């Protein structure tokens, strides 16, 4: 396959590129022109790079992969949610979604929701991505590619990135970290670390590793159950990493990375929305100094659960309020939600709440 023989451009540093160009007989200074074209002007086709001689353009096209995913479909809904379908080199498809939602300060912010895997192995009981099982990890450049359609006037159209699409990001750690580095690195897209949030279902050993490596990005943990008994019914990962272990890992993360963690909690009718759970959740949040994001469950075809009603959601939230826990309740967006935008769009919408 053509794609396999080419080098992944996004993985290269500027000094790497200088050396490569030099040994191929081109001037070293071309590397900074190329970096400027890709990372500042956000042009991803060498044929369009300004000030680059034709010979070098064709060398670059022949030897480097710039955008590994092909855009095969896209649509925009009334509320300016944009969804693109990308096809990867092996024909696998991922959706990437841009959500526009008012933030707490009343300003509209655009958030890009990224996928890290095709399918997912974690088998959370409420999740549409889990239904088809795990297919494969995305490479780092495939993850980066998801952002490339969202460029306007040489700028990314989004102000935040959330890794809340398909897949469990911490089960594809190396590629995730490499991709986030491309976004964040000052010599590359220079996208601020505090505007990037990674959401995990709670892979405790990987959270500990992130703590050790002083992960600079934000972390959200999908909790969805405040005791092992309840959480186990919803998320099988609880069997591997019970809450005690998960909370200890999160505590280590918060201490070493100095960032407030977000706990995501979907309210599912009769499953995890009891007041006893709210009290337990408050204890966990207090211990972690975490912000809680309460989310109305979005019904998934083929699954029997339904969302807690508005009254229950408010009562649940008032327990957090009394306990002094910072929290956000996502309001139901109702008709505004374009059903065809699928699960990803809903997650992204919710994700806007993480970015405070
Ligand atoms: N695996 C990661 C990221 C993908 S899921 C994680 O678990 O965090 C991103 C978020 O979407 C998670 O909080 C997940 O719980 C939520 N989600 C999945 N299905 C949902 C549904 N049917 N309704 C509401 N939120 C859902």
């Amino acid at each position: 396959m053509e794609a396999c023989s080419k080098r992944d451009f996004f993985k290269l540093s500027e000094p790497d590129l200088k050396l490569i160009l030099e040994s191929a007989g081109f001037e070293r200074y071309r590397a900074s022109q190329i970096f400027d074209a890709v990372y500042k002007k956000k042009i991803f086709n060498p044929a369009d790079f300004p000030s680059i001689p034709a010979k070098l353009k064709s060398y670059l096209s022949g030897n480097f992969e710039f955008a590994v995913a092909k855009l095969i479909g896209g649509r925009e809904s009334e509320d300016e949610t944009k969804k693109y379908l990308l096809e990867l080199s092996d024909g696998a498809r991922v959706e990437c979604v841009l959500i526009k939602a008012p933030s707490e300060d009343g300003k509209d912010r655009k958030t890009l929701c990224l996928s890290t895997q095709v399918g997912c192995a974690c088998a959370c009981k409420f999740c549409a991505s889990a239904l088809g099982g795990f297919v494969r990890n995305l490479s780092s450049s495939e993850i980066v590619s998801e952002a490339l359609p969202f460029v306007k006037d040489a700028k990314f159209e989004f102000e935040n990135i959330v890794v809340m699409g398909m897949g469990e990001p911490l089960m594809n750690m190396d590629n995730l970290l490499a991709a986030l580095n491309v976004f964040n690195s000052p010599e590359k897209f220079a996208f601020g670390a505090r505007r990037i949030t990674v959401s995990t279902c709670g892979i405790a050993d990987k959270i500990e590793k992130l703590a050790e490596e002083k992960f600079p990005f934000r972390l959200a943990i999908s909790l969805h159950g405040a005791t092992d008994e309840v959480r186990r019914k919803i998320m099988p990962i609880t069997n591997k990493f019970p809450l005690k272990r998960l909370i200890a890992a999160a505590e280590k993360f918060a201490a070493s990375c100095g960032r407030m963690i977000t706990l995501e909690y979907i309210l599912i009718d009769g499953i995890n929305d009891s007041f006893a759970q709210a009290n337990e959740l408050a204890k966990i949040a207090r211990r972690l100094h975490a912000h809680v994001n309460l989310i109305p469950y979005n019904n998934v075809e083929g699954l029997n659960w339904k969302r807690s009603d508005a009254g229950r959601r408010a009562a649940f939230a008032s327990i957090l309020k009394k306990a002094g826990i910072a929290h956000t309740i996502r309001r139901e967006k109702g008709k505004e939600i374009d059903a065809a935008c699928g699960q990803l769009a809903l997650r992204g919408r919710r994700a806007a709440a993480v970015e405070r």
Side-chain angles (χ1 to χ4, degrees), residues 54-94:
K55 204 174 149 209
L56 178 51
K57 284 181 179 176
S58 73
Y59 169 78
L60 293 170
S61 306
N63 290 279
F64 296 94
E65 197 66 69
F66 287 84
V68 294
K70 213 168 62 195
L71 199 58
I72 55 167
R75 55 182 301 197
E76 195 166 335
S77 73
E78 274 166 35
D79 59 341
E80 294 184 69
T81 295
K82 275 189 190 174
K83 185 179 80 162
Y84 288 114
L85 194 58
L86 297 179
E87 190 171 79
L88 309 175
S89 57
D90 63 352
R93 291 173 176 193
V94 286

Side-chain angles (χ1 to χ4, degrees), residues 113-114 116-117 120 122 124-129 163-171 198-203 220-224 231 234-235 264-268 295-300 303 307 343-344 346-348 350:
C113 180
L114 295 179
T116 50
Q117 299 182 315
C120 187
C122 295
C124 296
K125 298 259 170 47
F126 53 82
C127 180
S129 300
V163 187
M164 292 193 182
M166 191 182 270
E168 169 46 49
L170 302 193
M171 301 277 262
V198 173
S199 179
T200 175
C201 66
I203 316 291
I221 297 176
S222 297
L223 202 67
H224 311 328
R231 195 169 192 260
I234 307 172
M235 304 175 76
E264 300 177 82
Y265 200 97
I266 299 177
L267 289 167
I268 311 172
I295 307 150
Y297 172 65
N298 175 51
N299 296 351
V300 173
L303 301 177
R307 71 169 54 147
Q343 211 51 49
L344 275 180
L346 288 164
R347 282 177 212 161
R350 221 181 12 50

Side-chain angles (χ1 to χ4, degrees), residues 63-317:
N63 290 279
F64 296 94
E65 197 66 69
F66 287 84
V68 294
K70 213 168 62 195
L71 199 58
I72 55 167
R75 55 182 301 197
E76 195 166 335
S77 73
E78 274 166 35
D79 59 341
E80 294 184 69
T81 295
K82 275 189 190 174
K83 185 179 80 162
Y84 288 114
L85 194 58
L86 297 179
E87 190 171 79
L88 309 175
S89 57
D90 63 352
R93 291 173 176 193
V94 286
E95 277 181 322
C96 49
V97 182
L98 185 121
I99 314 294
K100 189 169 181 183
S103 61
E104 312 311 301
D105 58 11
K107 276 208 300 196
D108 269 349
R109 273 188 221 169
K110 288 186 183 172
T111 297
L112 177 70
C113 180
L114 295 179
S115 296
T116 50
Q117 299 182 315
V118 181
C120 187
C122 295
C124 296
K125 298 259 170 47
F126 53 82
C127 180
S129 300
L131 292 173
F134 174 70
V135 180
R136 72 166 173 90
N137 282 332
L138 296 191
S139 70
S140 63
S141 43
E142 285 173 339
I143 299 171
V144 171
S145 271
E146 293 177 63
L148 306 187
F150 301 100
V151 174
K152 209 182 203 166
D153 302 328
K155 290 200 181 78
F156 280 136
E157 286 181 78
F158 46 86
E159 290 140 289
N160 296 301
I161 295 177
V162 293
V163 187
M164 292 193 182
M166 191 182 270
E168 169 46 49
L170 302 193
M171 301 277 262
N172 185 13
M173 273 278 258
D174 292 348
N175 294 339
L176 170 78
L177 294 179
L180 294 185
N181 184 49
V182 173
F183 285 115
N184 178 236
S185 160
E187 69 162 7
K188 297 189 175 172
F189 290 121
F191 195 92
R194 271 174 299 166
R195 297 194 282 132
I196 299 179
T197 302
V198 173
S199 179
T200 175
C201 66
I203 316 291
D205 58 346
K206 299 286 169 51
I207 296 174
E208 284 157 7
K209 202 157 167 253
L210 294 180
E212 279 153 24
E213 290 170 9
K214 302 239 178 300
F215 189 65
F217 308 101
R218 288 177 183 269
L219 186 71
I221 297 176
S222 297
L223 202 67
H224 311 328
T227 55
D228 282 333
E229 195 201 347
V230 169
R231 195 169 192 260
R232 209 176 283 124
K233 283 194 232 162
I234 307 172
M235 304 175 76
I237 194 73
T238 314
N239 294 320
K240 189 159 183 205
F241 299 112
L243 279 172
K244 197 168 171 224
R245 172 93 193 269
L246 175 59
I247 293 164
E251 226 167 9
K252 189 170 162 186
F253 179 94
S256 103
C257 302
R259 295 210 184 290
M260 197 189 215
I261 288 175
T262 297
L263 298 176
E264 300 177 82
Y265 200 97
I266 299 177
L267 289 167
I268 311 172
D269 186 40
I271 301 290
N272 66 353
D273 61 352
S274 70
F275 298 150
Q277 284 291 297
N279 283 313
E280 292 303 317
L281 174 60
K283 282 188 208 155
I284 296 172
R286 185 173 307 114
R287 186 165 154 199
L288 295 175
H289 305 287
H291 183 99
V292 175
N293 198 5
L294 294 177
I295 307 150
Y297 172 65
N298 175 51
N299 296 351
V300 173
E301 229 186 280
L303 301 177
N304 290 329
W305 290 343
K306 62 184 179 61
R307 71 169 54 147
S308 315
D309 65 30
R312 171 58 71 155
R313 299 202 300 263
F316 194 96

